[in-house]
Amino acid sequence: MAFCSEGCRTAYLAEPERYPVPDDSGSTSAAPGHAIEPQARAGAAPTMTMAPETVHLAIDGMTCASCVASIERSLKSKAGIVDARVNLAAEEATVEFAPDLIEVHELLAAVEAAGYGAAVATDDVEEDAEDAARTRHYRRLLKKFWFAAVVSVPVMYFSYPELFPGIPEKGSTALNLIWGGMAIVTLAVLLWSGSQFFTGAWAALKHRSANMHTLIATGITAAWVYSTVALLFPGFFPEERLRDVFFDVTSVVTALVVLGMALEVRARARTSEALKKLIGLQAKTARVVRGDRELDVPISEVVVGDVVVVRPGEKVPVDGEVLSGASVVDESMVTGEPIPVEKTEGSFVVGATINKTGSFRFRATRVGADTMLAQIIRMVKEAQSSKAPIQRTVDLVAGYFVPAVMILAVLTFMTWYTLGPSPALLYAVITAVTVLVIACPCALGLATPTSLMVGVGKGAENGILIKSGDALETAHKITTVVLDKTGTVTKGEPSLTDVIPLGALSEDAVLRLAASAERGSEHPLGESIVAGALARRLVLSEPSGFEATPGQGIAATVDARRVVLGNLKYMADQGVAAGPAEEVLERFADGGKTPMVVGIDGELAGVVAVADTVKADSIAAVGQLHDLGLEVVMLTGDNHRTARAIAAEVGIDRVLAEVLPEDKAQQVTQLQAEGKVVAMVGDGINDAPALAQANVGLAMGTGTDIAMESGDITLVKGSLTGVVTAIELSKATLRNIRQNLVGAFGYNTLGIPIAAGVLYPFFGVLLSPLIAGAAMAFSSVTVVSNANRLRRWKPSLAREVG
Amino acid sequence: MMDVFFVNVVGFVLIGWIVWYFWLSHSRGVAAATVDGGVQETYIVVKGGYSPDTIEVRAGRPVRLVFNRQEADPCSERVVFDAFGVAADLPTGEDVPVEFTPGAPGEYGFACQMGMLRGRLVVR
């Protein structure tokens, strides 16, 4: 069992039965952070008329198991308390009480009577509990810092009688008494301000490992012990100069390192800011239609199938499909796309996005942990805790680092003692302590994960979900980007591109009749013609006598006119002379389009063409990929003619057409065999093997779930510009990681030898342990701050826009 | 002269001890208990280190390691099993189960995010 102080231990050993055995769960199984929740447990106490309530109290000032016991005892001694459990680690008490017998403020008074601070814990979500713990940790470190800092001022002053005026002579009783006082106050600094060094070092030592705490604890203790021995037993040290004390090393180094730790806690909280922002996006309530009423219910009570009402300015609470109404929704927080998206009946809406102009109702399709936002949060969390390959190397080094520094400190001591100038012992102690203090394993350990945290979070902000540190690291090495055509470069669905009148009727008239006839069709090509006509604001008529010949064409009667639509063979079958259309058909087919001949009342009326059109930003994205020096390859199952037409339009240099779905991965393997680092971008189920085979698989967020699972990176917005952004982000993150590593390794490889005194034989220079302490404290803060610089990173496309 | 000799001898002994203690020796492992449904379960306290820090399990069977972090030091707020691609946040004072099924026998490390706290999973 761990005790905060010898006093606690003595108290426990005297009367062990008075204290509860701390169970390893931290003494309570209740999750922290839930507020007063009435519990239906009537009859727990016969005197109660009301059901007991549970309250969580935040406790301040606990240090060990005996504190837990005394608070529990104080609470349980009050009438009306059903149960009281204190969680030391979470600094929280869970109290079950009878509200008619005792009030919450009396509970607080009971805790205060036991000598601790108490407040009702806030009812916010668990994320905040962790935040609160972090804040408490930060404040405690600051308190420790201030104590050490205040002590350091007089200690430093009296440590240098040669330097400062008004100090009693060396060797005088007065100075010895002052130094004796310094020994006592610095011991207090050592044991209170520096307590975490000892607990940390001890815990690590038990596990046969060593860390920063081990080094600092050894360093500051050695300084204190040497000084105290020199003071108490001057007889041990024949030379007068050996009797110098350096209590200032103990207090100043403790102050600096504790301050560094506090600043680091602060800075590290910021590295996960992106994730917190995402979590904060979640709506708290939803307006759900129940019966004929609209009810505001907590988000957790929304179930799949609920009809949810969203008014202008409100957040869409969960994912779903619009049933009625229309609006414009700002989806930038999820997709990174700044332009709001139109939503009408049948559109998919995403939870946490903000409704702008109109009201609409939608049916919830994904709730709770299944919503897109919840999945994004999960993915970001996982990626942030995964390791980049570069870190595995660093870890390997880090595992040997601390014991190696300890060995160096011992060697330094031996060398100075054996070869150093007189007083050898003093130099040996100072240099060994300086070596221990200056080494900073934290900077090494923090270098990669902090940058990765920020980088992955930054990606999420821009609609790029990175699954692992691996993907983020590999993305900067990409040489070749393979794009799937359908759904990636193109929209993935046909749309009307051309209407050529070849008879007496005008363009609009041909389209109106053709589209009206297609209203009976369920074929995607037919639907695209209808959609194209509606987009031109044509008023369509109802067809009658609709008939379809699969693979050839359709026929229907519209406004008493016989309309036929299809290929040349179908026209021949229907008795339409379509000879003049042949040249037009050929031209469209060359352009990668699908043309259809329109015949009206047995006469050739014109040609309509549909095609899978290129996404608006594909051309710009391909251009940018080229600018980054990457080779862009398009992969498609389509015929060469269509593929080349699309490739030419977006400016792709290499096309692999007529690739069977099962061969897509094979093509990627072939490119890899050419020595290329391949990124595959795709959206379909058939792309999944290729996504998995590629060095980095990028799945379109608008595509299938299987593709997203196989990919390493998901582009939520479903735009190729995301590929550019992902590669840029990878480069920026890797640059940041390298800066951190160069800084951390450079610092240690320069700092440790200088601390050991390698400069002394040449220049007579020795590093003061005080400066070493300052350097060590700020090296890890610098690493974290550098990682935080990444938070200002913006994709180049956003920079161009403004 | 005697003191120089003495200091150097002690120094080398100390170096030898550091090498042996931190690199050459290993703490003995704790075998995971098998609970209902054949899951191998172990409770691990996180405080300055993982206790126990070496866990022995059988290959091919599900493993559940329940972590409880009893400190507020942000260093240990996440545990990462790199080899199995799993990681978990460890809120202070809460039991957090980490589940996976190890495939091939071998030694796999787990650590906090910075690699300051380390543990080993020995799969047999």
Side-chain angles (χ1 to χ4, degrees), chain A residues 18 38 77 120 130 158 161 180 203 230 256 292 312 400 442 515-516 555 576 590 611 667 687 724 745 751 756:
Chain A
R18 269 180 60 191
S77 66
V120 177
E130 198 51 33
F158 288 109
L256 288 170
D292 52 359
Y400 289 97
C442 269
S516 299
V576 177
D590 276 340
Q667 295 288 345
D687 296 325
V724 180
F745 273 109

Side-chain angles (χ1 to χ4, degrees), chain A residues 2 23-26 28 31-32 87 89-90 126 130 133-134 137 200 203-214 264-265 268 275 381 384-387 391-392 395-396 398-400 403-404 406-407 410-411 413-415 417-418 442 445-446 449 453, chain B residues 3-4 7-12 14-15 17-23 25-27 43 45 47-53 68-75 77-80 82 85-95 111-118:
Chain A
D23 83 41
D24 285 338
S25 66
T28 169
N87 181 336
E126 275 146 55
E130 198 51 33
R134 214 194 269 267
H137 186 62
L205 204 61
K206 271 196 304 192
H207 295 97
R208 296 187 181 245
S209 72
N211 54 31
M212 172 199 102
H213 297 311
T214 321
E264 191 193 310
V265 168
R268 286 185 68 178
L275 185 66
K381 266 193 182 173
Q384 285 186 334
S385 45
S386 72
K387 288 194 175 180
Q391 195 186 347
R392 299 197 183 112
D395 278 354
L396 204 66
Y400 289 97
M406 291 162 76
I407 291 171
V410 175
L411 285 173
F413 187 96
M414 286 156 63
T415 311
Y417 195 84
T418 313
C442 269
L446 285 167
M453 290 264 283
Chain B
D3 60 325
V4 171
V7 161
N8 281 294
V9 168
V10 170
F12 280 116
L14 201 56
I15 290 172
W17 178 81
I18 293 171
V19 170
W20 171 77
Y21 189 81
F22 292 109
W23 291 333
S25 72
H26 281 301
S27 54
Y43 196 87
V45 171
K47 195 175 184 185
Y50 300 107
S51 313
D53 63 345
N68 191 300
R69 172 166 157 248
Q70 299 181 356
E71 60 186 355
D73 187 346
C75 281
E77 69 191 4
R78 206 168 277 188
V79 62
V80 183
D82 195 33
V86 289
D89 281 333
L90 308 175
T92 303
E94 263 181 65
D95 283 352
C112 69
Q113 208 182 8
M114 288 170 43
M116 286 259 287
L117 318 185
R118 286 151 186 279

Side-chain angles (χ1 to χ4, degrees), chain A residues 81-420:
Chain A
I81 304 281
V82 179
D83 193 17
R85 283 157 300 162
V86 175
N87 181 336
L88 174 62
E91 303 194 310
E92 206 180 50
T94 309
V95 187
E96 227 181 295
F97 66 104
D100 49 345
L101 293 177
I102 190 164
E103 282 179 42
V104 174
H105 69 87
E106 293 173 85
L107 300 178
L108 299 179
V111 177
E112 277 155 16
Y116 303 90
V120 177
T122 46
D123 59 343
D124 278 327
V125 275
E126 275 146 55
E127 301 300 331
D128 295 331
E130 198 51 33
D131 262 356
R134 214 194 269 267
T135 310
R136 276 201 298 269
H137 186 62
Y138 172 71
R139 290 219 188 99
R140 193 175 307 139
L141 286 172
L142 269 195
K143 268 188 224 162
K144 289 178 169 185
F145 160 70
W146 280 115
F147 176 64
V150 166
V151 167
S152 295
V153 175
V155 166
M156 273 183 79
Y157 180 78
F158 288 109
S159 291
Y160 302 98
E162 312 89 340
L163 235 58
F164 300 113
I167 301 174
E169 202 179 310
K170 252 193 199 179
S172 68
T173 318
L175 187 61
N176 280 344
L177 280 177
I178 292 173
W179 281 0
M182 276 160 51
I184 294 165
V185 287
T186 50
L187 180 65
V189 169
L190 196 70
L191 294 183
W192 186 63
S193 295
S195 60
Q196 67 280 345
F197 303 136
F198 294 97
T199 49
W202 178 242
L205 204 61
K206 271 196 304 192
H207 295 97
R208 296 187 181 245
S209 72
N211 54 31
M212 172 199 102
H213 297 311
T214 321
L215 299 177
I216 298 294
T218 317
I220 57 178
T221 311
W224 188 86
V225 169
Y226 176 88
S227 306
T228 308
V229 171
L231 186 64
L232 292 179
F233 308 102
F236 282 6
F237 303 103
E239 275 181 77
E240 207 215 317
R241 279 162 66 200
L242 278 177
R243 295 179 204 154
D244 276 355
V245 295
F246 38 102
F247 292 114
D248 55 326
V249 171
T250 303
S251 62
V252 172
V253 169
T254 306
L256 288 170
V257 177
V258 169
L259 177 65
M261 285 169 74
L263 295 179
E264 191 193 310
V265 168
R266 260 285 176 84
R268 286 185 68 178
R270 278 210 299 273
T271 59
S272 55
E273 208 167 63
L275 185 66
K276 265 189 226 136
K277 253 194 246 167
L278 279 176
I279 293 166
L281 285 177
Q282 247 146 354
K284 304 265 183 296
T285 60
R287 186 166 300 121
V288 173
V289 180
R290 293 265 161 88
D292 52 359
R293 291 204 302 152
E294 289 177 12
L295 289 177
D296 272 335
V297 301
I299 195 88
S300 55
E301 288 174 22
V302 181
V303 293
V304 170
D306 269 347
V307 175
V308 182
V309 183
V310 186
R311 298 202 189 124
E314 286 182 343
K315 247 182 210 175
V316 178
V318 295
D319 298 358
E321 201 187 324
V322 176
L323 293 174
S324 60
S327 184
V328 172
V329 173
D330 176 7
E331 295 189 335
S332 58
M333 58 293 292
V334 177
T335 61
E337 164 70 60
I339 303 156
V341 186
E342 270 183 54
K343 299 287 176 186
T344 52
E345 193 186 321
S347 307
F348 184 70
V349 287
V350 179
T353 57
I354 292 170
N355 180 26
K356 290 284 198 193
T357 51
S359 304
F360 60 88
R361 285 177 174 225
F362 75 95
R363 192 172 49 82
T365 54
R366 288 191 299 198
V367 300
D370 298 328
T371 61
M372 185 125 133
L373 184 69
Q375 285 178 26
I376 291 174
I377 290 171
R378 205 175 315 135
M379 210 191 259
V380 169
K381 266 193 182 173
E382 272 167 24
Q384 285 186 334
S385 45
S386 72
K387 288 194 175 180
I390 195 169
Q391 195 186 347
R392 299 197 183 112
T393 324
V394 178
D395 278 354
L396 204 66
V397 177
Y400 289 97
F401 184 78
V402 176
V405 170
M406 291 162 76
I407 291 171
L408 279 174
V410 175
L411 285 173
T412 303
F413 187 96
M414 286 156 63
T415 311
W416 279 94
Y417 195 84
T418 313
L419 306 170

Side-chain angles (χ1 to χ4, degrees), chain A residues 56 170 194 199 274 463 495 501 527 532 594 635 652 734 756:
Chain A
H56 293 264
K170 252 193 199 179
T199 49
S495 55
E527 284 170 7
T594 309
L635 196 62
I652 288 173
L734 260 290

Side-chain angles (χ1 to χ4, degrees), chain B residues 22-103:
Chain B
F22 292 109
W23 291 333
L24 301 181
S25 72
H26 281 301
S27 54
R28 264 196 290 147
V30 170
T34 303
V35 297
D36 288 348
V39 178
Q40 312 177 75
E41 195 177 272
T42 300
Y43 196 87
I44 299 171
V45 171
V46 184
K47 195 175 184 185
Y50 300 107
S51 313
D53 63 345
T54 303
I55 296 112
E56 290 178 14
V57 296
R58 293 278 196 78
R61 292 191 201 162
V63 171
R64 183 189 300 132
L65 302 175
V66 182
F67 286 87
N68 191 300
R69 172 166 157 248
Q70 299 181 356
E71 60 186 355
D73 187 346
C75 281
S76 54
E77 69 191 4
R78 206 168 277 188
V79 62
V80 183
F81 288 79
D82 195 33
F84 303 100
V86 289
D89 281 333
L90 308 175
T92 303
E94 263 181 65
D95 283 352
V96 180
V98 175
E99 293 174 16
F100 54 89
T101 304

